[in-house]
Amino acid sequence: MHSTPGGRMGPGLCPVDRQMLLVYSFILAAALGQMNFTGDQVLRVLAKNEQQLSLLRDLEGLKAQKVDFWRGPAKPSLPVDVRVPFSELKDVKAYLESHGLAYSIMIKDIQVLLDQEREAMARSRRLERSTSSFSYSSYHTLEEIYSWMDNFVTEHSDIVSKIQIGHSFENRSILVLKFSTGGSQRPAIWMDTGIHSREWITHATGIWTAQKIVSEYGEDRILTNILMSMDIFMGIVSNPDGFAFTHIMNRLWRKNKSNRRGIFCIGVDLNRNWRSGFGGNGSNDNPCSETYRGPYPHSEPEVAAIVDFITAHGNIKALISIHSYSQMLMYPYGHLLEPVSNQEELMWPAGSPSTGPTTTASSTPSASSSGTPDAMGSYCQPQRSSPRPRRCGWRFGPS
């Protein structure tokens, strides 16, 4: 459903049908117990200078827990995308207009997209059941992914095995796929997806990548050479509690589901819970914040499980974490502005003769519609003007 430049409804539902759709959405959400985001919009704001960026950061403080920055204020050349609840739209737009901040409506009604997404999943599920197959082009629930992992390991037992590295706060299994051609304690690559539970495209990317590894082994020279000398560990669902919650209650839930006595709000941003740079810029000590870092480093069982596994292994040579939203390829550090000692080496994948060019793709709207990154560099430079703690510093630097 689209609107014309003049604001009138284009081809599709008439106003009466739209009203019925809204009523249906509310009824469906109530029946399923799911949160409804009808009327919520995503605004794209273009800041002209650092002063306007500062105003956007102030907005985040003024509307704490009410606005949700999908792409936060970083530098004037990059757009800022923020989800605004329907109840806050008038105030937020007035704030932007009063300070001369230009904005456009990137998503007019988030619930419309979420309804379409769920309908597509239902169609795919019916097709899978009728054909006894698994769709690599659709989203899946936690149960479906874990069932796929069991079947995947059985079908490719010569190269793939499954490891349980721990349990989540709500006692769900944290599972990892191991790709190996034999040997013990070989050099290895760690890859994880879904540490932020609402980033469903990352789980799908992990599943697709796993299938690509087994299908290309023996065919692709570079991949085959890697697996002849190294293992690959892949955590498909790094935040199982949060991921399950996005399917049954709140599609836009980001954190895990831990709770503590005396604290009303639930969940920790697992990607702010690493020891390196803990509590620095980009994280929050407010338990109600989307970027709440937790009470202390590695406090969350999901993070602790990864830390314990990688530490015990002792020979992990590379860590890759897949996220959405944005199109960026980033390397350490996430909590310091100073470049690392081997920064030039870390830039090689952008066009090294040995690895070839690196490209990325995103399923979400981005400033770039190409298949290449908007930016490549450290977590803080060039795309960020202030540090943001990430786990890469935990293994790259002192632990």
Side-chain angles (χ1 to χ4, degrees):
M1 182 165 52
H2 304 280
S3 61
T4 64
R8 297 167 308 196
M9 296 302 298
L13 296 176
C14 68
V16 174
D17 292 332
R18 176 173 171 78
Q19 292 175 3
M20 291 300 296
L21 178 61
L22 293 178
V23 172
Y24 172 76
S25 296
F26 280 120
I27 294 175
L28 180 63
L32 298 179
Q34 295 170 346
M35 289 187 63
N36 190 283
F37 299 93
T38 298
D40 288 16
Q41 295 184 347
V42 176
L43 307 181
R44 169 158 289 183
V45 188
L46 296 175
K48 298 176 182 178
N49 48 48
E50 286 293 335
Q51 181 181 4
Q52 289 196 336
L53 281 178
S54 180
L55 289 168
L56 287 172
R57 296 187 186 105
D58 291 344
L59 173 63
E60 191 170 12
L62 291 170
K63 294 290 185 180
Q65 292 84 60
K66 293 183 179 179
V67 296
D68 178 12
F69 280 87
W70 289 5
R71 186 197 292 259
K75 57 188 299 187
S77 62
L78 293 178
V80 175
D81 299 336
V82 56
R83 176 178 67 87
V84 184
F86 178 76
S87 61
E88 300 293 331
L89 276 174
K90 185 176 179 180
D91 286 350
V92 170
K93 289 180 178 179
Y95 177 88
L96 297 175
E97 292 164 2
S98 67
H99 290 92
L101 286 157
Y103 70 88
S104 60
I105 300 175
M106 192 171 69
I107 300 178
K108 188 174 183 179
D109 190 334
I110 288 179
Q111 189 61 46
V112 172
L113 298 184
L114 298 185
D115 290 342
Q116 293 172 352
E117 177 184 71
R118 190 164 294 277
E119 290 166 5
M121 288 180 64
R123 289 195 300 269
S124 178
R125 188 173 292 112
R126 288 193 294 269
L127 180 61
E128 289 179 4
R129 288 173 178 169
S130 65
T131 59
S132 299
S133 62
F134 183 88
S135 172
Y136 287 88
S137 60
S138 178
Y139 293 136
H140 296 86
T141 65
L142 179 67
E143 292 75 15
E144 290 167 344
I145 291 176
Y146 278 6
S147 176
W148 167 83
M149 291 177 73
D150 289 338
N151 295 331
F152 185 73
V153 169
T154 300
E155 293 171 6
H156 305 284
S157 58
D158 58 325
I159 192 176
V160 186
S161 58
K162 184 181 71 173
I163 304 171
Q164 179 174 301
I165 66 170
H167 290 86
S168 67
F169 182 85
E170 294 180 340
N171 205 36
R172 291 183 172 88
S173 296
I174 302 174
L175 305 176
V176 171
L177 293 177
K178 177 183 180 181
F179 300 82
S180 180
T181 56
S184 60
Q185 296 303 104
R186 298 198 305 173
I189 299 169
W190 170 273
M191 179 181 296
D192 63 64
T193 64
I195 202 163
H196 288 147
S197 52
R198 66 187 181 188
E199 298 171 6
W200 286 7
I201 190 63
T202 68
H203 307 88
T205 298
I207 292 171
W208 181 89
T209 301
Q211 173 62 23
K212 195 70 173 176
I213 289 173
V214 298
S215 64
E216 293 294 320
Y217 174 68
E219 301 291 333
D220 181 88
R221 178 179 59 85
I222 294 176
L223 174 64
T224 302
N225 288 341
I226 289 174
L227 283 176
M228 291 302 293
S229 59
M230 302 182 74
D231 296 337
I232 299 175
F233 294 99
M234 183 178 295
I236 303 291
V237 187
S238 303
N239 180 3
D241 296 347
F243 184 58
F245 193 65
T246 63
H247 282 274
I248 63 176
M249 180 63 69
N250 182 350
R251 173 63 181 87
L252 301 183
W253 187 260
R254 186 173 189 267
K255 303 186 285 184
N256 74 346
K257 290 298 301 306
S258 65
N259 61 76
R260 289 171 172 82
R261 182 174 298 178
I263 297 178
F264 174 75
C265 293
I266 293 174
V268 168
D269 180 348
L270 298 180
N271 212 35
R272 305 295 192 277
N273 192 236
W274 310 96
R275 177 176 293 120
S276 184
F278 180 80
N281 290 328
S283 69
N284 203 303
D285 62 359
N286 183 343
C288 297
S289 169
E290 292 280 15
T291 56
Y292 174 53
R293 59 180 173 253
Y296 55 87
H298 305 170
S299 62
E300 304 312 292
E302 298 86 355
V303 170
I306 295 174
V307 170
D308 292 346
F309 177 81
I310 291 176
T311 302
H313 185 280
N315 203 14
I316 301 292
K317 299 299 184 182
L319 289 86
I320 303 170
S321 186
I322 309 297
H323 286 258
S324 67
Y325 141 127
S326 289
Q327 291 175 287
M328 293 183 286
L329 180 59
M330 300 185 291
Y331 57 79
Y333 284 110
H335 64 286
L336 298 173
L337 287 173
E338 293 76 16
V340 294
S341 59
N342 63 336
Q343 179 171 338
E344 184 176 349
E345 178 184 358
L346 291 171
M347 289 292 288
W348 283 354
S352 163
S354 62
T355 62
T358 296
T359 59
T360 64
S362 172
S363 69
T364 51
S366 170
S368 168
S369 59
S370 67
T372 56
D374 291 334
M376 177 174 178
S378 77
Y379 278 119
C380 300
Q381 296 175 330
Q383 69 272 14
R384 296 198 188 280
S385 57
S386 61
R388 289 199 171 192
R390 296 291 195 276
R391 120 271 313 278
C392 63
W394 165 68
R395 288 311 305 165
F396 197 83
S399 59

mmCIF file of all heavy atoms in Angstrom, residues 11-46:
data_model
loop_
_atom_site.group_PDB
_atom_site.id
_atom_site.type_symbol
_atom_site.label_atom_id
_atom_site.label_comp_id
_atom_site.label_asym_id
_atom_site.label_seq_id
_atom_site.Cartn_x
_atom_site.Cartn_y
_atom_site.Cartn_z
ATOM 1 N N PRO A 11 -3.200 3.242 -5.902
ATOM 2 C CA PRO A 11 -3.951 2.029 -6.204
ATOM 3 C C PRO A 11 -3.868 1.053 -5.044
ATOM 4 O O PRO A 11 -2.820 0.878 -4.440
ATOM 5 C CB PRO A 11 -3.218 1.478 -7.440
ATOM 6 C CG PRO A 11 -2.542 2.666 -8.033
ATOM 7 C CD PRO A 11 -2.184 3.547 -6.884
ATOM 8 N N GLY A 12 -4.929 0.412 -4.724
ATOM 9 C CA GLY A 12 -4.931 -0.539 -3.618
ATOM 10 C C GLY A 12 -6.171 -0.369 -2.771
ATOM 11 O O GLY A 12 -7.279 -0.242 -3.284
ATOM 12 N N LEU A 13 -5.993 -0.338 -1.471
ATOM 13 C CA LEU A 13 -7.128 -0.290 -0.559
ATOM 14 C C LEU A 13 -7.757 1.092 -0.536
ATOM 15 O O LEU A 13 -7.079 2.109 -0.516
ATOM 16 C CB LEU A 13 -6.666 -0.656 0.847
ATOM 17 C CG LEU A 13 -6.131 -2.079 1.057
ATOM 18 C CD1 LEU A 13 -5.622 -2.229 2.476
ATOM 19 C CD2 LEU A 13 -7.198 -3.102 0.762
ATOM 20 N N CYS A 14 -9.073 1.124 -0.500
ATOM 21 C CA CYS A 14 -9.781 2.382 -0.326
ATOM 22 C C CYS A 14 -9.765 2.720 1.156
ATOM 23 O O CYS A 14 -9.429 1.885 1.989
ATOM 24 C CB CYS A 14 -11.218 2.255 -0.834
ATOM 25 S SG CYS A 14 -12.255 1.154 0.166
ATOM 26 N N PRO A 15 -10.135 3.964 1.534
ATOM 27 C CA PRO A 15 -10.099 4.355 2.949
ATOM 28 C C PRO A 15 -10.883 3.425 3.860
ATOM 29 O O PRO A 15 -10.467 3.151 4.977
ATOM 30 C CB PRO A 15 -10.664 5.771 2.931
ATOM 31 C CG PRO A 15 -10.321 6.295 1.561
ATOM 32 C CD PRO A 15 -10.441 5.114 0.652
ATOM 33 N N VAL A 16 -12.050 2.945 3.386
ATOM 34 C CA VAL A 16 -12.855 2.047 4.213
ATOM 35 C C VAL A 16 -12.105 0.751 4.457
ATOM 36 O O VAL A 16 -12.055 0.219 5.567
ATOM 37 C CB VAL A 16 -14.220 1.776 3.549
ATOM 38 C CG1 VAL A 16 -14.992 0.724 4.355
ATOM 39 C CG2 VAL A 16 -15.027 3.068 3.460
ATOM 40 N N ASP A 17 -11.476 0.216 3.373
ATOM 41 C CA ASP A 17 -10.708 -1.016 3.512
ATOM 42 C C ASP A 17 -9.551 -0.830 4.479
ATOM 43 O O ASP A 17 -9.214 -1.717 5.253
ATOM 44 C CB ASP A 17 -10.167 -1.476 2.156
ATOM 45 C CG ASP A 17 -11.282 -1.935 1.231
ATOM 46 O OD1 ASP A 17 -12.312 -2.386 1.756
ATOM 47 O OD2 ASP A 17 -11.120 -1.838 0.008
ATOM 48 N N ARG A 18 -8.936 0.345 4.422
ATOM 49 C CA ARG A 18 -7.810 0.621 5.320
ATOM 50 C C ARG A 18 -8.288 0.613 6.776
ATOM 51 O O ARG A 18 -7.625 0.068 7.657
ATOM 52 C CB ARG A 18 -7.165 1.954 4.978
ATOM 53 C CG ARG A 18 -6.038 2.335 5.944
ATOM 54 C CD ARG A 18 -5.304 3.575 5.494
ATOM 55 N NE ARG A 18 -4.380 4.040 6.508
ATOM 56 C CZ ARG A 18 -3.198 3.513 6.754
ATOM 57 N NH1 ARG A 18 -2.801 2.470 6.043
ATOM 58 N NH2 ARG A 18 -2.405 4.011 7.695
ATOM 59 N N GLN A 19 -9.451 1.200 7.037
ATOM 60 C CA GLN A 19 -9.981 1.190 8.387
ATOM 61 C C GLN A 19 -10.239 -0.236 8.859
ATOM 62 O O GLN A 19 -9.939 -0.595 10.001
ATOM 63 C CB GLN A 19 -11.264 2.009 8.446
ATOM 64 C CG GLN A 19 -11.041 3.511 8.243
ATOM 65 C CD GLN A 19 -12.347 4.276 8.191
ATOM 66 O OE1 GLN A 19 -13.411 3.697 8.355
ATOM 67 N NE2 GLN A 19 -12.262 5.579 7.945
ATOM 68 N N MET A 20 -10.771 -1.055 7.944
ATOM 69 C CA MET A 20 -11.030 -2.444 8.297
ATOM 70 C C MET A 20 -9.731 -3.181 8.580
ATOM 71 O O MET A 20 -9.660 -4.021 9.484
ATOM 72 C CB MET A 20 -11.797 -3.142 7.166
ATOM 73 C CG MET A 20 -13.232 -2.641 6.996
ATOM 74 S SD MET A 20 -14.219 -2.890 8.513
ATOM 75 C CE MET A 20 -14.217 -4.674 8.601
ATOM 76 N N LEU A 21 -8.684 -2.854 7.805
ATOM 77 C CA LEU A 21 -7.387 -3.488 8.010
ATOM 78 C C LEU A 21 -6.817 -3.131 9.384
ATOM 79 O O LEU A 21 -6.271 -3.984 10.086
ATOM 80 C CB LEU A 21 -6.409 -3.054 6.918
ATOM 81 C CG LEU A 21 -4.977 -3.607 7.037
ATOM 82 C CD1 LEU A 21 -4.990 -5.132 6.963
ATOM 83 C CD2 LEU A 21 -4.093 -3.030 5.929
ATOM 84 N N LEU A 22 -6.988 -1.864 9.788
ATOM 85 C CA LEU A 22 -6.497 -1.447 11.098
ATOM 86 C C LEU A 22 -7.239 -2.183 12.208
ATOM 87 O O LEU A 22 -6.636 -2.630 13.185
ATOM 88 C CB LEU A 22 -6.660 0.067 11.261
ATOM 89 C CG LEU A 22 -5.798 0.945 10.357
ATOM 90 C CD1 LEU A 22 -6.124 2.422 10.600
ATOM 91 C CD2 LEU A 22 -4.321 0.691 10.602
ATOM 92 N N VAL A 23 -8.566 -2.296 12.045
ATOM 93 C CA VAL A 23 -9.364 -3.019 13.035
ATOM 94 C C VAL A 23 -8.919 -4.472 13.102
ATOM 95 O O VAL A 23 -8.732 -5.050 14.189
ATOM 96 C CB VAL A 23 -10.864 -2.937 12.686
ATOM 97 C CG1 VAL A 23 -11.667 -3.863 13.611
ATOM 98 C CG2 VAL A 23 -11.359 -1.498 12.814
ATOM 99 N N TYR A 24 -8.693 -5.074 11.920
ATOM 100 C CA TYR A 24 -8.257 -6.464 11.862
ATOM 101 C C TYR A 24 -6.908 -6.638 12.550
ATOM 102 O O TYR A 24 -6.675 -7.610 13.274
ATOM 103 C CB TYR A 24 -8.167 -6.915 10.403
ATOM 104 C CG TYR A 24 -7.550 -8.281 10.223
ATOM 105 C CD1 TYR A 24 -8.264 -9.447 10.512
ATOM 106 C CD2 TYR A 24 -6.234 -8.407 9.783
ATOM 107 C CE1 TYR A 24 -7.685 -10.699 10.354
ATOM 108 C CE2 TYR A 24 -5.650 -9.642 9.620
ATOM 109 C CZ TYR A 24 -6.381 -10.792 9.904
ATOM 110 O OH TYR A 24 -5.802 -12.016 9.748
ATOM 111 N N SER A 25 -5.996 -5.682 12.343
ATOM 112 C CA SER A 25 -4.661 -5.760 12.948
ATOM 113 C C SER A 25 -4.758 -5.750 14.465
ATOM 114 O O SER A 25 -4.079 -6.511 15.154
ATOM 115 C CB SER A 25 -3.781 -4.598 12.464
ATOM 116 O OG SER A 25 -3.557 -4.678 11.074
ATOM 117 N N PHE A 26 -5.612 -4.862 14.993
ATOM 118 C CA PHE A 26 -5.779 -4.791 16.444
ATOM 119 C C PHE A 26 -6.355 -6.101 16.983
ATOM 120 O O PHE A 26 -5.920 -6.612 18.008
ATOM 121 C CB PHE A 26 -6.690 -3.625 16.817
ATOM 122 C CG PHE A 26 -5.995 -2.294 16.821
ATOM 123 C CD1 PHE A 26 -6.419 -1.272 15.990
ATOM 124 C CD2 PHE A 26 -4.908 -2.063 17.664
ATOM 125 C CE1 PHE A 26 -5.770 -0.040 15.991
ATOM 126 C CE2 PHE A 26 -4.258 -0.829 17.674
ATOM 127 C CZ PHE A 26 -4.695 0.180 16.836
ATOM 128 N N ILE A 27 -7.368 -6.639 16.297
ATOM 129 C CA ILE A 27 -8.002 -7.880 16.744
ATOM 130 C C ILE A 27 -6.998 -9.029 16.696
ATOM 131 O O ILE A 27 -6.894 -9.830 17.631
ATOM 132 C CB ILE A 27 -9.231 -8.207 15.872
ATOM 133 C CG1 ILE A 27 -10.315 -7.138 16.086
ATOM 134 C CG2 ILE A 27 -9.763 -9.593 16.204
ATOM 135 C CD1 ILE A 27 -11.516 -7.305 15.170
ATOM 136 N N LEU A 28 -6.231 -9.105 15.609
ATOM 137 C CA LEU A 28 -5.251 -10.176 15.462
ATOM 138 C C LEU A 28 -4.184 -10.089 16.543
ATOM 139 O O LEU A 28 -3.806 -11.092 17.154
ATOM 140 C CB LEU A 28 -4.592 -10.103 14.078
ATOM 141 C CG LEU A 28 -3.540 -11.169 13.755
ATOM 142 C CD1 LEU A 28 -4.191 -12.553 13.758
ATOM 143 C CD2 LEU A 28 -2.885 -10.900 12.401
ATOM 144 N N ALA A 29 -3.722 -8.881 16.800
ATOM 145 C CA ALA A 29 -2.682 -8.697 17.822
ATOM 146 C C ALA A 29 -3.201 -9.084 19.200
ATOM 147 O O ALA A 29 -2.493 -9.706 19.993
ATOM 148 C CB ALA A 29 -2.197 -7.255 17.828
ATOM 149 N N ALA A 30 -4.444 -8.702 19.479
ATOM 150 C CA ALA A 30 -5.034 -9.036 20.772
ATOM 151 C C ALA A 30 -5.186 -10.544 20.928
ATOM 152 O O ALA A 30 -4.919 -11.106 21.997
ATOM 153 C CB ALA A 30 -6.389 -8.342 20.917
ATOM 154 N N ALA A 31 -5.597 -11.213 19.832
ATOM 155 C CA ALA A 31 -5.799 -12.659 19.883
ATOM 156 C C ALA A 31 -4.479 -13.394 20.086
ATOM 157 O O ALA A 31 -4.409 -14.382 20.820
ATOM 158 C CB ALA A 31 -6.472 -13.131 18.589
ATOM 159 N N LEU A 32 -3.427 -12.912 19.446
ATOM 160 C CA LEU A 32 -2.134 -13.578 19.522
ATOM 161 C C LEU A 32 -1.285 -13.049 20.667
ATOM 162 O O LEU A 32 -0.219 -13.587 20.956
ATOM 163 C CB LEU A 32 -1.381 -13.398 18.197
ATOM 164 C CG LEU A 32 -2.041 -14.002 16.955
ATOM 165 C CD1 LEU A 32 -1.202 -13.714 15.723
ATOM 166 C CD2 LEU A 32 -2.237 -15.510 17.110
ATOM 167 N N GLY A 33 -1.733 -12.009 21.323
ATOM 168 C CA GLY A 33 -0.969 -11.431 22.405
ATOM 169 C C GLY A 33 0.233 -10.655 21.944
ATOM 170 O O GLY A 33 1.166 -10.435 22.714
ATOM 171 N N GLN A 34 0.251 -10.224 20.707
ATOM 172 C CA GLN A 34 1.407 -9.529 20.148
ATOM 173 C C GLN A 34 1.228 -8.017 20.235
ATOM 174 O O GLN A 34 0.124 -7.500 20.130
ATOM 175 C CB GLN A 34 1.602 -9.937 18.686
ATOM 176 C CG GLN A 34 1.954 -11.410 18.510
ATOM 177 C CD GLN A 34 1.897 -11.836 17.055
ATOM 178 O OE1 GLN A 34 1.360 -11.117 16.232
ATOM 179 N NE2 GLN A 34 2.446 -12.992 16.761
ATOM 180 N N MET A 35 2.350 -7.329 20.410
ATOM 181 C CA MET A 35 2.302 -5.874 20.405
ATOM 182 C C MET A 35 1.971 -5.368 19.012
ATOM 183 O O MET A 35 2.387 -5.947 18.008
ATOM 184 C CB MET A 35 3.647 -5.310 20.866
ATOM 185 C CG MET A 35 3.931 -5.521 22.337
ATOM 186 S SD MET A 35 5.428 -4.650 22.870
ATOM 187 C CE MET A 35 4.943 -2.936 22.572
ATOM 188 N N ASN A 36 1.239 -4.277 18.981
ATOM 189 C CA ASN A 36 0.815 -3.706 17.705
ATOM 190 C C ASN A 36 1.496 -2.362 17.496
ATOM 191 O O ASN A 36 1.584 -1.549 18.416
ATOM 192 C CB ASN A 36 -0.707 -3.547 17.696
ATOM 193 C CG ASN A 36 -1.243 -3.188 16.333
ATOM 194 O OD1 ASN A 36 -1.135 -2.042 15.897
ATOM 195 N ND2 ASN A 36 -1.834 -4.164 15.663
ATOM 196 N N PHE A 37 1.974 -2.135 16.299
ATOM 197 C CA PHE A 37 2.726 -0.917 15.982
ATOM 198 C C PHE A 37 2.018 -0.074 14.920
ATOM 199 O O PHE A 37 2.654 0.653 14.163
ATOM 200 C CB PHE A 37 4.135 -1.278 15.513
ATOM 201 C CG PHE A 37 4.940 -2.013 16.548
ATOM 202 C CD1 PHE A 37 4.960 -3.402 16.588
ATOM 203 C CD2 PHE A 37 5.653 -1.319 17.506
ATOM 204 C CE1 PHE A 37 5.696 -4.080 17.547
ATOM 205 C CE2 PHE A 37 6.391 -1.983 18.474
ATOM 206 C CZ PHE A 37 6.413 -3.371 18.490
ATOM 207 N N THR A 38 0.698 -0.190 14.880
ATOM 208 C CA THR A 38 -0.073 0.568 13.906
ATOM 209 C C THR A 38 0.159 2.073 14.083
ATOM 210 O O THR A 38 0.032 2.604 15.187
ATOM 211 C CB THR A 38 -1.574 0.260 14.043
ATOM 212 O OG1 THR A 38 -1.794 -1.122 13.769
ATOM 213 C CG2 THR A 38 -2.390 1.109 13.076
ATOM 214 N N GLY A 39 0.478 2.735 13.001
ATOM 215 C CA GLY A 39 0.697 4.172 13.018
ATOM 216 C C GLY A 39 2.119 4.591 13.325
ATOM 217 O O GLY A 39 2.494 5.743 13.101
ATOM 218 N N ASP A 40 2.945 3.662 13.835
ATOM 219 C CA ASP A 40 4.349 3.992 14.074
ATOM 220 C C ASP A 40 5.041 4.258 12.733
ATOM 221 O O ASP A 40 4.776 3.561 11.746
ATOM 222 C CB ASP A 40 5.069 2.848 14.776
ATOM 223 C CG ASP A 40 4.646 2.710 16.233
ATOM 224 O OD1 ASP A 40 3.602 3.276 16.601
ATOM 225 O OD2 ASP A 40 5.364 2.034 16.984
ATOM 226 N N GLN A 41 5.905 5.239 12.708
ATOM 227 C CA GLN A 41 6.611 5.589 11.477
ATOM 228 C C GLN A 41 8.119 5.555 11.689
ATOM 229 O O GLN A 41 8.609 5.691 12.814
ATOM 230 C CB GLN A 41 6.196 6.991 10.995
ATOM 231 C CG GLN A 41 4.744 7.103 10.574
ATOM 232 C CD GLN A 41 4.388 8.468 10.010
ATOM 233 O OE1 GLN A 41 5.161 9.423 10.135
ATOM 234 N NE2 GLN A 41 3.219 8.564 9.395
ATOM 235 N N VAL A 42 8.837 5.366 10.581
ATOM 236 C CA VAL A 42 10.288 5.524 10.584
ATOM 237 C C VAL A 42 10.613 6.793 9.809
ATOM 238 O O VAL A 42 10.246 6.923 8.637
ATOM 239 C CB VAL A 42 11.002 4.318 9.957
ATOM 240 C CG1 VAL A 42 12.516 4.582 9.885
ATOM 241 C CG2 VAL A 42 10.732 3.051 10.772
ATOM 242 N N LEU A 43 11.252 7.724 10.500
ATOM 243 C CA LEU A 43 11.637 8.994 9.887
ATOM 244 C C LEU A 43 13.122 8.953 9.541
ATOM 245 O O LEU A 43 13.935 8.461 10.330
ATOM 246 C CB LEU A 43 11.370 10.159 10.836
ATOM 247 C CG LEU A 43 9.956 10.281 11.416
ATOM 248 C CD1 LEU A 43 9.872 11.507 12.325
ATOM 249 C CD2 LEU A 43 8.911 10.349 10.314
ATOM 250 N N ARG A 44 13.455 9.454 8.382
ATOM 251 C CA ARG A 44 14.867 9.610 7.990
ATOM 252 C C ARG A 44 15.223 11.081 8.108
ATOM 253 O O ARG A 44 14.618 11.938 7.452
ATOM 254 C CB ARG A 44 15.105 9.095 6.577
ATOM 255 C CG ARG A 44 16.482 9.463 6.024
ATOM 256 C CD ARG A 44 16.913 8.547 4.910
ATOM 257 N NE ARG A 44 17.248 7.216 5.423
ATOM 258 C CZ ARG A 44 17.708 6.228 4.665
ATOM 259 N NH1 ARG A 44 17.856 6.413 3.359
ATOM 260 N NH2 ARG A 44 18.009 5.059 5.189
ATOM 261 N N VAL A 45 16.186 11.391 8.968
ATOM 262 C CA VAL A 45 16.581 12.764 9.254
ATOM 263 C C VAL A 45 17.982 13.008 8.697
ATOM 264 O O VAL A 45 18.878 12.170 8.866
ATOM 265 C CB VAL A 45 16.573 13.041 10.774
ATOM 266 C CG1 VAL A 45 16.794 14.525 11.044
ATOM 267 C CG2 VAL A 45 15.257 12.564 11.402
ATOM 268 N N LEU A 46 18.158 14.144 8.059
ATOM 269 C CA LEU A 46 19.464 14.513 7.511
ATOM 270 C C LEU A 46 20.010 15.694 8.294
ATOM 271 O O LEU A 46 19.471 16.807 8.214
ATOM 272 C CB LEU A 46 19.342 14.846 6.027
ATOM 273 C CG LEU A 46 18.907 13.691 5.119
ATOM 274 C CD1 LEU A 46 18.716 14.181 3.688
ATOM 275 C CD2 LEU A 46 19.934 12.561 5.162
#
